[in-house]
Amino acid sequence: MDATDQKRLLREMLFARRFEERCAEAYHERQIGGFLHLYPGEEACAIGVLEKAQTGSDYVVTGYRDHIHALKSGMDPKALMAELFGKEAGCSKGRGGSMHLFDPDVHFMGGYALVGGPFPLAAGFAKAIQLRGGQEISICFLGDGANNQGTFHETMNMASLWNLPVLFICENNLYGIGTAIERSTVEINQYKRVAPYGIEAAQCDGQDIDIVMTHAEKAVNYVREQRKPYFLELMTYRLRGHSMSDSGAYRSKEEVEEWAQRDPIGIYKRRLVEAGVVTEDEFHAMDKAVQDEIENEVVRYASECPEPRVEDVARYVYTEGGNNHG
Amino acid sequence: MAELMYWQGILRAHDEEMARDPLVFAMGEDIGVAGGTYKATSGLFAKYGEQRVVDTPISENSYTGIGVGAAMVGARPIVEIMSVNFAWLAMDQLMNNAAKIHYMSGGRIRCPFVMRVPGGTAHQLGAQHSARMEKVFMGISGLRVVTPATPRDAYGLLKSAVRSDDPVVIIEHESMYNLKGEVPDEEFFTPLEGVEIMRPGKDVSIFAYNISVHWALDAAKKLASEYGIDAEVIDLRALKPLDRAGIAASVRKTHHAIIVEEDEAPVGVGSEVMAIINEECFFDLDAAPVRVHALDIPIPYNHRLEKAAIPNAGDVIAAVRKMFGR
Ligand SMILES: Cc1ncc(C[n+]2csc(CCOP(=O)(O)OP(=O)(O)O)c2C)c(N)n1
Ligand SMILES: [Mg+2]
């Protein structure tokens, strides 16, 4: 990877971080409502994996912590922020919200609130690809907690049985809200849980984007070439609360501090500085530029664009012409 | 015009739609090699192969979700749930994903998903094989729910459902697969909305759907010949959305309304139709509307108890006679 791409990746992670932090502010200012699940600490996962996918063509689906997956899939940050602000110009026309971002134009097939719900959807995209004889793959990002749902086991079985081209990415951040993984799950190594289904799997560090990309490249190529599922577990950690209301009572300050030392942006920045790809000054300038862009373009756009019309509240329940055919 | 059985109508619709569009495919338990529990997919496996006539594992929620996912990216799945009782296990994918995706994506993602379910009470199958779930499906915003009473509509509704861009649940009936009736030889589409007048009459409107249409027709014959009461039998057919105008038009003509349902009364088709009558044409009524319905109990095994739990033509006649004091 050349220096331009390395700098771009660093900027993308920084943008993701600042975007989420700005969302938190907007939430406190009550411009964003509902449940808001932020991604700081986990940036290398979505950005690293999707860097190795064919975004725009491969189908991507995830849970409710979906902002960065949407961005890296190619969603316009303005459409994303407008959605969070509940605006008509939002990616889901203000009908979805933070947990339900959609952009079928770039094959970002959504954020979903029900833990484990997207597993079968991802396999379904792969089923459609298979029927069409396409070369795309389907990529499903979910947390460790989702693997205790029936949909995990049912979908692994069918994806393997039917050779569906779907890549399962497990973002193992060690917790499902406030329950530590060893308190909910017998086999805490998630990648081992797909072995009975005959699915190839690996586990790797999710904080170092270079390591993520190495494994992701292998995984993506495997699925694309073998037309079979693959399961990649990324060991990661969220540095903020589960959502905007989180007691934090379930984990120690020391533990959070330890993981903060392994902040994916910090790791990558240090590496690029040491390699002479960026200087500290350039990094600060980049950070400033990112924050300016978010404020002056993204947030301003989201604040200024109009809300949906109340007369349209019942629009989109059915498709137009859903009763006409023949 | 050929005489077909109900199951043959369903089979013909599958076959025509699958021949026309390579992205139409069927999934379900035992539908392929075994030919389908009610033969409704027999012969399709040999003709279209295992990719398009998919025998699934017993994983209702996830194969439903796979169908939903495939539908979201342009395929047209027809998912058969072996018995409606098992559809409870698929409710998450049906309700949270299929029904909501178009709305919550601001109309950006369509879900042309079809679920076929044999429903109703057959003979002594016991409480866990005798569910009637129409009230559950028709309570879900975003779904279309239709119920064929005849082989013609078993064919025509499936044809329309496959072509519709909305998710459609088709409730068939376990006791009606061998019912014979005329089906036009040329291609035919039954609308997914609107009632059908099965027998015009001027004295009382009997609203029915699925198997209860046949009870109502039997009752109407006897009411005419023995009691001089000219009943209009209305097949509601589409339970969601219900045809408010069609219901009101009949009541405005007859000024009397009876609703016949195989399901228990609470929170059901009858209560909904009654509410519509109240809202649309209360002052056209000459008598309070009456519901004929199943007892509010889990369906018993014993044949006498089972019979006592489910209404029949005699109950319809009794209700009409009481209404008219004859
Ligand atoms: C079916 C379902 N059950 C419970 C919840 C409530 N809930 C939301 S997120 C969550 C934890 C999920 O943990 P994990 O899958 O590890 O994802 P993470 O938030 O850690 O990324 C729970 C229990 C839900 N949204 N859906
Ligand atoms: Mg987790």
Side-chain angles (χ1 to χ4, degrees):
Chain A
M1 186 170 266
D2 67 21
T4 318
D5 281 330
Q6 288 176 317
K7 269 194 240 180
R8 174 179 55 77
L9 274 185
L10 182 63
R11 190 185 197 279
E12 285 178 12
M13 287 203 285
L14 197 53
F15 189 95
R17 176 68 54 90
R18 296 303 189 196
F19 186 95
E20 296 290 68
E21 288 169 347
R22 188 61 185 83
C23 287
E25 266 177 56
Y27 181 88
H28 291 304
E29 291 160 2
R30 293 178 181 274
Q31 284 159 312
I32 298 177
F35 286 132
L36 181 64
H37 308 82
L38 302 176
Y39 205 56
E42 307 189 29
E43 291 89 347
C45 298
I47 295 176
V49 169
L50 292 178
E51 178 68 18
K52 292 299 171 188
Q54 310 241 318
T55 50
S57 150
D58 291 338
Y59 292 92
V60 177
V61 68
T62 187
Y64 40 82
R65 202 181 299 285
D66 57 347
H67 302 179
I68 307 310
H69 306 78
L71 282 181
K72 183 64 180 170
S73 295
M75 183 183 286
D76 180 348
K78 293 202 283 294
L80 201 173
M81 192 64 90
E83 184 61 31
L84 304 182
F85 280 45
K87 302 300 183 71
E88 182 72 22
C91 62
S92 312
K93 302 210 171 84
R95 271 70 166 181
S98 166
M99 299 185 282
H100 306 303
L101 306 174
F102 297 94
D103 194 348
D105 294 347
V106 297
H107 290 187
F108 181 73
M109 302 311 291
Y112 296 82
L114 279 279
V115 172
F119 282 125
L121 298 183
F125 307 151
K127 173 71 191 169
I129 294 168
Q130 191 183 56
L131 281 175
R132 285 198 298 249
Q135 283 312 297
E136 313 96 316
I137 67 170
S138 170
I139 306 177
C140 176
F141 290 85
L142 285 173
D144 46 291
N147 299 347
N148 289 328
Q149 284 287 21
T151 50
F152 169 81
H153 297 275
E154 294 179 351
T155 303
M156 292 307 146
N157 183 49
M158 286 184 273
S160 185
L161 190 66
W162 298 335
N163 293 322
L164 298 179
V166 48
L167 171 56
F168 297 102
I169 303 291
C170 175
E171 300 175 328
N172 185 350
N173 61 12
L174 310 177
Y175 292 87
I177 310 187
T179 302
I181 187 164
E182 60 276 5
R183 296 186 58 238
S184 67
T185 308
V186 174
E187 176 53 76
I188 61 169
N189 292 295
Q190 300 303 305
Y191 76 104
K192 291 188 180 168
R193 300 178 75 187
V194 299
Y197 302 109
I199 296 178
E200 288 279 317
Q203 181 188 54
C204 74
D205 181 10
Q207 302 307 91
D208 184 332
I209 196 166
D210 283 326
I211 294 176
V212 173
M213 287 191 294
T214 302
H215 283 79
E217 185 163 28
K218 186 177 158 224
V220 165
N221 289 343
Y222 176 92
V223 176
R224 204 179 306 284
E225 284 154 23
Q226 306 286 318
R227 311 311 292 171
K228 272 186 195 173
Y230 189 94
F231 185 95
L232 178 59
E233 177 183 11
L234 305 175
M235 302 308 296
T236 187
Y237 199 81
R238 64 174 155 68
L239 294 172
R240 302 182 65 100
H242 168 74
S243 65
M244 296 305 287
S245 53
D246 183 324
S247 68
Y250 53 87
R251 56 187 196 179
S252 67
K253 277 208 180 72
E254 293 73 36
E255 181 184 301
V256 179
E257 194 37 49
E258 224 172 89
W259 277 92
Q261 298 306 311
R262 304 214 63 248
D263 181 320
I265 299 174
I267 291 175
Y268 200 51
K269 182 201 114 186
R270 280 196 297 278
R271 183 169 305 143
L272 298 196
V273 169
E274 275 163 29
V277 173
V278 286
T279 64
E280 286 287 348
D281 284 350
E282 278 169 345
F283 180 75
H284 288 298
M286 183 190 278
D287 192 13
K288 169 93 177 39
V290 160
Q291 293 186 59
D292 286 348
E293 180 186 336
I294 290 170
E295 202 55 47
N296 301 334
E297 291 180 37
V298 178
V299 174
R300 176 193 272 180
Y301 175 81
S303 315
E304 289 174 358
C305 61
E307 298 203 26
R309 302 183 320 160
V310 173
E311 305 90 272
D312 287 337
V313 68
R315 226 178 136 186
Y316 308 126
V317 175
Y318 295 129
T319 59
E320 268 164 44
N323 182 32
N324 295 325
H325 14 73
Chain B
M1 188 130 43
E3 189 159 84
L4 292 185
M5 289 197 238
Y6 196 80
W7 69 266
Q8 290 170 318
I10 298 165
L11 176 61
R12 182 179 145 196
H14 272 97
D15 194 12
E16 286 177 7
E17 291 305 298
M18 292 182 74
R20 179 188 61 88
D21 180 353
L23 289 177
V24 175
F25 71 105
M27 289 173 92
E29 293 159 36
D30 281 348
I31 69 159
V33 174
T37 310
Y38 300 97
K39 297 191 283 190
T41 51
S42 53
L44 297 178
F45 186 86
K47 191 163 175 187
Y48 297 103
E50 63 178 6
Q51 299 253 348
R52 294 183 63 203
V53 184
V54 185
D55 280 314
T56 64
I58 307 156
S59 305
E60 284 80 6
N61 195 35
S62 294
Y63 69 70
T64 295
I66 289 175
V68 173
M72 288 167 61
V73 301
R76 294 195 173 254
I78 306 170
V79 170
E80 174 181 304
I81 303 278
M82 190 179 249
S83 155
V84 74
N85 301 265
F86 317 148
W88 284 113
L89 282 92
M91 287 313 277
D92 167 44
Q93 292 296 323
L94 184 69
M95 174 147 74
N96 286 313
N97 290 341
K100 294 178 178 152
I101 186 74
H102 186 254
Y103 189 89
M104 70 182 182
S105 68
R108 297 187 71 193
I109 297 181
R110 296 174 169 228
C111 187
F113 168 82
V114 178
M115 177 185 274
R116 293 180 37 244
V117 290
T121 53
H123 297 291
Q124 292 195 270
L125 300 185
Q128 294 186 335
H129 279 85
S130 303
R132 293 123 298 150
M133 278 173 63
E134 43 273 24
K135 61 169 71 176
V136 176
F137 298 124
M138 69 188 276
I140 301 171
S141 303
L143 289 185
R144 292 184 178 276
V145 183
V146 293
T147 61
T150 61
R152 185 199 60 167
D153 285 345
Y155 163 79
L157 286 172
L158 179 53
K159 292 278 293 182
S160 297
V162 171
R163 303 284 181 103
S164 172
D165 280 342
D166 296 328
V168 183
V169 175
I170 305 178
I171 304 171
E172 298 162 3
H173 198 288
E174 296 191 5
S175 301
M176 296 205 312
Y177 285 100
N178 290 332
L179 180 81
K180 281 188 188 152
E182 304 222 303
V183 181
D185 295 329
E186 64 280 9
E187 188 169 54
F188 173 82
F189 295 85
T190 304
L192 297 176
E193 290 179 19
V195 300
E196 173 144 348
I197 300 172
M198 302 296 278
R199 178 192 194 280
K202 59 180 184 0
D203 296 333
V204 55
S205 303
I206 306 180
F207 295 101
Y209 63 94
N210 198 297
I211 199 166
S212 68
V213 169
H214 301 283
W215 307 335
L217 287 170
D218 288 350
K221 241 188 251 167
K222 239 189 174 167
L223 286 166
S225 63
E226 294 183 20
Y227 303 99
I229 297 171
D230 184 17
E232 172 149 299
V233 176
I234 305 279
D235 181 1
L236 293 167
R237 197 165 57 201
L239 299 183
K240 183 157 191 89
L242 272 167
D243 178 6
R244 301 177 71 90
I247 291 168
S250 181
V251 174
R252 288 203 182 98
K253 185 164 99 179
T254 66
H255 311 289
H256 296 84
I258 301 262
I259 305 114
V260 197
E261 56 193 319
E262 192 193 8
D263 212 344
E264 318 93 52
V267 205
V269 177
S271 33
E272 202 49 44
V273 171
M274 248 192 209
I276 289 171
I277 293 171
N278 247 337
E279 289 159 0
E280 299 284 335
C281 50
F282 179 80
F283 293 106
D284 290 289
L285 287 168
D286 285 347
V290 168
R291 290 179 292 180
V292 176
H293 53 82
L295 300 184
D296 192 8
I297 60 173
I299 298 303
Y301 163 69
N302 173 275
H303 69 112
R304 279 192 209 177
L305 298 184
E306 181 185 55
K307 205 159 162 256
I310 303 297
N312 56 34
D315 296 321
V316 181
I317 293 167
V320 175
R321 285 181 60 196
K322 190 171 172 207
M323 182 176 273
F324 284 83
R326 291 191 207 167

